[in-house]
C-alpha cells in the first residue's frame, strides 16, 4: 500500500486537529503541492481522482492516472504543458478558467479534456475566442475535404457522373487543370470586352442612324456584343447542366446575376422582331432602352473570377452594423441641417431653399463635402449652418471607417491563412503517405499508398479512410500513439 503525507492543522476554535492529504505533482518540470480539500471541489476531474486514490492504492493504479511516479519523492509526473496547467489550477481556486494569451485554444481544450474538466468552466471571453478558432478550423477542414474530393476517383461513380464532375471542375475550378484556367481567362476577358463595348456604344461619334433616323450602336459593336452573349449563354448552360443541385444553382445570388446579364439581350431581340406587332414602336423602343440598361449587371460577373472582390463583399457583409450607424448619423444630420438651412434662409429675398425636402439635396452634398455649388446659403447664419454641417459630416463619415477597414483586413488575412493552412494540411498528408509507403516497402509488404505517385486514386482513397488529418480526424488517436496509417497486405 502507498501512503501519502497528511498535513495536520487546527480548526478556527483550536479545539481539535484534523488532517488532509496533499500530493506533489510535477508538470513538465514545474512542481506543485496540491491539497485534497481543494481538489475535491470538483470530484470528476483527474486531480481529484488522483488524490482520492492516493491512500491505499497500488503503484499500477496510480500510474494509470499519471505518466510516472517517484516512490522516493512521493511525486507524480505529467508530461503536459506547465503554462496551460497554471490556467487549469484557476478552476480549483477561482471557479473558472481563463486561457493565457499565446496559448492555442484547441491545444488548451485537449489539456482540459486530459484533466477531466468540462468546457463550461471557461470564461465567456475565452469561449468566444475558442469558437472563432473552431470556425476557422472547420473552414480549413472543408477546404481540405474539397481538395480530396477533387483528387478522389471513386469506382462506384457512373460514367455520366464522372463527366458531370469533370465538366463542373472545368467551369468552376480554374486551378484544377490548364483547360479550366483557359476557360476562366476567356470568361474574364469576355466580361471586360462586353463592358467596354457597352460603354463605347454610347459615344455619338461611333453610332449610326437607322431607318427611322435614330442613333443606334455600330454594327461591329453589336457583333462583338452578340459573340460575348453567346459565350455567356453557353457558359451558363454548361454550369447548369454540370451542377449537382440545379435548384440551388438557379437561386444562387451570383447565378442570378449571370442570368440578369444574359436575359436583356434575348428580350430585346424578341421585342425588336416581334414587339412591333404587339405594341407601338415608341413603347418597344422604350422597353429596349430600359433593358439595355440592365447590361450593367455584367460587371458583377467579375466577382466570380476575382478573389479581391469576393473579399470586399465579405468585409462589407461583416460591416453591416457600422454601415448602418453611418447611414443613421448621416440621416439625422441631413434632416437637421436641411431644416435649419431652410429656416435661416427664408429672410433672404433670393433664397435657393424653397422647401425642406429640396434642402435635403444641399445637406447631402454639403455633409459629404462634395459641394456642387448649385445650391448655397446667402445669409450669414445660413453660412454658419453650412460650416457646422460639413464639419459634422466629416466626423460622421470618419467614425465608422476605421472598423470597416479593420473588418476588410481581418477578412482578407483570414482568407489567406485558410488557403495556406489547407495547402499545408494536404502537404503534410502527402508526406505521411510517402513516409508510410517507404516503411511498408522496406518491410517487404505492399502498401495501399505505395506507388510512384502519392496522389494516385488509391493513395487518396487510403488517405480519406486511414490517414490522420489534424483538422479532420480525432487528435486523441495520435496522442495515444496510434499509427496514422496501416500497411495492407495483398
Amino acid at each position: 500500500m502507498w501512503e501519502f503525507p497528511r498535513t495536520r492543522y487546527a480548526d478556527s476554535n483550536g479545539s481539535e486537529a484534523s488532517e488532509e492529504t496533499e500530493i506533489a505533482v510535477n508538470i513538465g518540470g514545474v512542481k506543485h503541492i496540491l491539497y485534497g480539500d481543494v481538489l475535491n471541489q470538483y470530484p470528476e476531474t483527474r486531480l481529484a481522482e488522483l488524490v482520492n486514490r492516493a491512500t491505499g492504492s497500488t503503484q499500477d493504479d496510480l500510474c494509470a492516472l499519471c505518466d510516472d511516479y517517484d516512490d522516493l519523492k512521493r511525486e507524480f509526473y505529467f508530461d503536459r504543458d506547465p503554462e496551460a496547467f497554471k490556467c487549469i489550477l484557476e478552476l480549483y481556486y477561482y471557479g473558472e478558467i481563463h486561457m493565457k494569451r499565446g496559448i492555442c485554444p484547441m491545444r488548451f481544450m485537449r489539456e482540459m479534456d486530459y484533466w477531466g474538466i468540462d468546457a463550461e468552466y471557461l470564461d465567456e471571453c475565452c469561449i468566444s475566442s475558442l469558437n472563432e478558432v473552431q470556425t476557422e478550423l472547420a473552414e480549413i477542414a472543408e477546404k481540405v475535404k474539397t481538395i480530396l474530393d477533387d483528387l478522389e476517383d471513386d469506382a462506384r461513380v457512373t460514367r455520366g457522373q464522372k463527366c458531370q464532375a469533370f465538366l463542373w471542375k472545368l467551369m468552376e475550378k480554374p486551378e484544377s487543370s490548364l483547360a479550366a484556367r483557359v476557360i476562366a481567362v476567356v470568361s474574364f476577358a469576355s466580361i471586360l470586352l462586353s463592358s467596354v463595348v457597352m460603354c463605347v456604344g454610347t459615344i455619338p461619334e461611333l453610332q449610326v442612324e437607322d431607318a427611322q433616323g435614330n442613333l443606334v450602336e455600330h454594327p461591329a459593336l453589336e457583333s462583338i456584343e452578340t459573340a460575348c452573349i453567346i459565350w455567356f449563354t453557353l457558359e451558363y448552360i454548361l454550369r447548369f447542366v454540370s451542377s449537382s443541385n440545379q435548384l440551388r444553382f438557379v437561386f444562387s445570388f451570383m447565378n442570378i446575376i449571370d442570368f440578369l446579364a444574359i436575359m436583356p439581350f434575348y428580350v430585346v431581340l424578341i421585342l425588336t422582331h416581334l414587339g412591333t406587332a404587339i405594341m407601338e414602336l415608341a413603347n418597344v423602343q422604350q422597353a429596349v432602352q430600359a433593358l439595355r440598361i440592365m447590361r450593367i449587371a455584367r460587371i458583377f460577373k467579375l466577382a466570380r473570377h476575382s478573389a479581391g472582390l469576393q473579399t470586399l463583399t465579405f468585409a462589407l457583409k461583416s460591416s453591416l452594423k457600422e454601415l448602418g450607424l453611418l447611414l443613421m448619423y448621416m440621416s439625422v444630420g441631413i434632416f437637421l441641417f436641411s431644416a435649419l438651412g431652410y429656416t435661416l434662409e427664408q429672410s433672404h429675398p433670393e433664397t435657393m431653399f424653397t422647401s425642406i425636402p429640396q434642402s435635403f439635396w444641399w445637406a447631402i452634398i454639403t455633409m459629404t463635402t462634395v459641394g456642387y455649388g448649385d445650391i448655397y446659403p446667402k445669409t450669414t447664419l445660413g453660412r454658419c449652418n453650412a460650416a457646422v454641417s460639413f464639419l459634422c459630416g466629416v466626423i460622421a463619415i470618419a467614425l465608422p471607417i476605421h472598423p470597416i477597414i479593420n473588418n476588410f483586413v481581418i477578412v482578407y488575412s483570414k482568407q489567406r491563412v485558410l488557403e495556406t493552412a489547407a495547402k499545408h494540411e494536404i502537404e503534410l498528408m502527402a508526406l505521411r503517405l510517402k513516409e508510410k509507403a517507404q516503411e511498408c516497402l522496406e518491410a517487404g509488404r505492399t502498401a495501399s499508398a505505395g506507388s510512384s505517385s502519392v496522389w494516385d486514386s488509391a493513395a487518396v482513397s487510403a488517405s480519406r479512410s486511414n490517414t490522420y488529418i489534424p483538422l479532420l480526424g480525432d487528435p486523441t488517436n495520435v496522442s495515444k500513439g496510434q499509427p496514422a496509417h496501416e500497411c495492407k497486405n495483398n
Side-chain angles (χ1 to χ4, degrees):
M1 296 296 181
W2 302 88
E3 296 292 338
F4 284 82
R6 294 176 178 271
T7 302
R8 300 184 61 85
Y9 60 92
D11 60 8
S12 58
N13 298 323
S15 59
E16 61 181 37
S18 60
E19 58 185 17
E20 64 171 335
T21 303
E22 67 179 29
I23 60 174
V25 296
N26 190 307
I27 312 296
V30 180
K31 185 176 180 179
H32 300 268
I33 304 297
L34 305 176
Y35 298 96
D37 63 336
V38 176
L39 300 179
N40 282 322
Q41 298 178 62
Y42 301 93
E44 72 279 1
T45 62
R46 180 183 289 261
L47 290 175
E49 186 177 357
L50 183 64
V51 75
N52 292 330
R53 289 190 186 183
T55 304
S57 298
T58 63
Q59 186 175 9
D60 293 337
D61 293 336
L62 296 177
C63 290
L65 296 173
C66 62
D67 295 323
D68 198 5
Y69 173 69
D70 190 339
D71 183 26
L72 297 178
K73 297 182 179 180
R74 306 286 187 178
E75 189 171 340
F76 296 94
Y77 291 90
F78 294 88
D79 188 15
R80 312 301 298 185
D81 185 0
E83 294 298 323
F85 185 74
K86 293 178 181 179
C87 302
I88 296 294
L89 286 180
E90 292 184 2
L91 173 67
Y92 300 97
Y93 294 101
Y94 306 110
E96 61 182 8
I97 298 177
H98 289 269
M99 286 188 298
K100 287 186 177 180
R101 188 181 299 273
I103 297 179
C104 174
M106 301 307 299
R107 182 178 178 184
F108 188 78
M109 287 301 300
R110 287 195 283 268
E111 290 288 327
M112 292 182 63
D113 291 338
Y114 177 82
W115 295 109
I117 299 175
D118 195 80
E120 65 182 11
Y121 293 110
L122 275 174
D123 192 65
E124 291 295 333
C125 61
C126 300
I127 291 178
S128 62
S129 62
L130 175 64
N131 292 336
E132 292 178 1
V133 174
Q134 288 178 336
T135 301
E136 292 181 2
L137 291 179
E139 293 177 359
I140 295 174
E142 186 65 27
K143 287 182 179 291
V144 173
K145 288 181 179 179
T146 302
I147 296 175
L148 293 178
D149 289 338
D150 294 340
L151 296 172
E152 188 179 26
D153 188 11
D154 194 350
R156 295 170 298 178
V157 177
T158 63
R159 180 174 297 180
Q161 291 175 334
K162 289 182 179 179
C163 294
Q164 185 181 23
F166 173 77
L167 189 59
W168 177 258
K169 293 178 184 178
L170 196 65
M171 304 304 298
E172 289 288 338
K173 298 182 181 296
E175 69 279 359
S176 62
S177 64
L178 177 61
R181 283 193 289 270
V182 171
I183 290 177
V185 171
V186 172
S187 180
F188 187 82
S190 300
I191 296 171
L192 292 180
L193 181 61
S194 176
S195 302
V196 171
V197 167
M198 182 187 69
C199 298
V200 172
T202 60
I203 300 177
E205 289 78 7
L206 298 180
Q207 294 178 339
V208 295
E209 293 185 358
D210 58 5
Q212 288 78 24
N214 300 319
L215 292 177
V216 296
E217 289 185 0
H218 196 278
L221 298 180
E222 289 185 351
S223 301
I224 298 175
E225 174 80 8
T226 303
C228 292
I229 288 296
I230 293 174
W231 169 258
F232 294 152
T233 305
L234 179 63
E235 180 188 26
Y236 184 86
I237 293 174
L238 291 177
R239 290 174 53 245
F240 175 77
V241 171
S242 62
S243 175
S244 58
N245 190 339
Q246 295 178 344
L247 183 62
R248 182 179 179 183
F249 175 89
V250 171
F251 291 100
S252 174
F253 176 75
M254 290 306 303
N255 294 325
I256 292 175
I257 294 295
D258 292 342
F259 179 77
L260 292 178
I262 299 170
M263 180 266 298
F265 176 83
Y266 295 101
V267 175
V268 168
L269 195 63
I270 294 173
L271 290 177
T272 302
H273 293 83
L274 302 177
T276 53
I278 302 174
M279 62 183 75
E280 296 181 357
L281 179 61
N283 295 332
V284 171
Q285 292 176 345
Q286 292 177 359
V288 168
Q289 291 298 326
L291 289 171
R292 285 183 178 273
I293 296 176
M294 294 183 63
R295 293 186 298 175
I296 60 177
R298 296 175 192 172
I299 199 65
F300 294 106
K301 288 170 61 67
L302 291 176
R304 184 183 301 279
H305 306 281
S306 175
L309 289 177
Q310 294 175 7
T311 302
L312 178 60
T313 302
F314 292 143
L316 292 177
K317 185 177 180 180
S318 62
S319 304
L320 290 178
K321 183 177 180 180
E322 289 79 7
L323 293 173
L325 290 175
L326 174 61
L327 292 177
M328 185 188 70
Y329 295 156
M330 295 299 295
S331 299
V332 172
I334 290 170
F335 180 81
L336 175 63
F337 292 111
S338 61
L340 288 176
Y342 170 76
T343 305
L344 296 175
E345 289 294 310
Q346 287 303 299
S347 59
H348 198 282
E350 299 179 358
T351 180
M352 296 182 177
F353 296 77
T354 57
S355 66
I356 292 181
Q358 188 265 347
S359 303
F360 286 167
W361 170 247
W362 168 84
I364 291 173
I365 63 176
T366 302
M367 292 192 68
T368 55
T369 67
V370 176
Y372 287 118
D374 52 345
I375 301 176
Y376 55 90
K378 297 183 178 180
T379 63
T380 303
L381 292 177
R383 291 170 181 172
C384 293
N385 176 62
V388 174
S389 67
F390 66 69
L391 288 176
C392 293
V394 171
I395 296 174
I397 294 174
L399 285 177
I401 290 299
H402 186 66
I404 295 174
I405 295 175
N406 282 343
N407 289 337
F408 177 81
V409 173
I410 291 173
V411 171
Y412 182 77
S413 302
K414 181 179 177 181
Q415 293 292 332
R416 297 292 298 273
V417 169
L418 291 179
E419 293 176 1
T420 304
K423 293 178 181 178
H424 182 61
E425 288 297 323
I426 296 298
E427 292 173 357
L428 288 179
M429 188 175 61
L431 183 61
R432 293 190 189 98
L433 286 172
K434 189 174 182 179
E435 291 176 351
K436 197 60 185 180
Q438 292 176 352
E439 293 177 2
C440 294
L441 290 175
E442 292 174 359
R445 292 177 296 179
T446 303
S448 61
S451 63
S452 58
S453 175
V454 179
W455 292 110
D456 61 0
S457 60
V460 174
S461 178
S463 69
R464 291 178 63 85
S465 58
N466 298 324
T467 301
Y468 167 69
I469 304 175
L471 300 178
L472 305 180
D474 184 5
T476 58
N477 295 337
V478 174
S479 63
K480 293 178 181 178
Q482 296 182 1
H485 188 277
E486 295 296 336
C487 298
K488 298 180 181 178
N489 296 328
N490 290 330

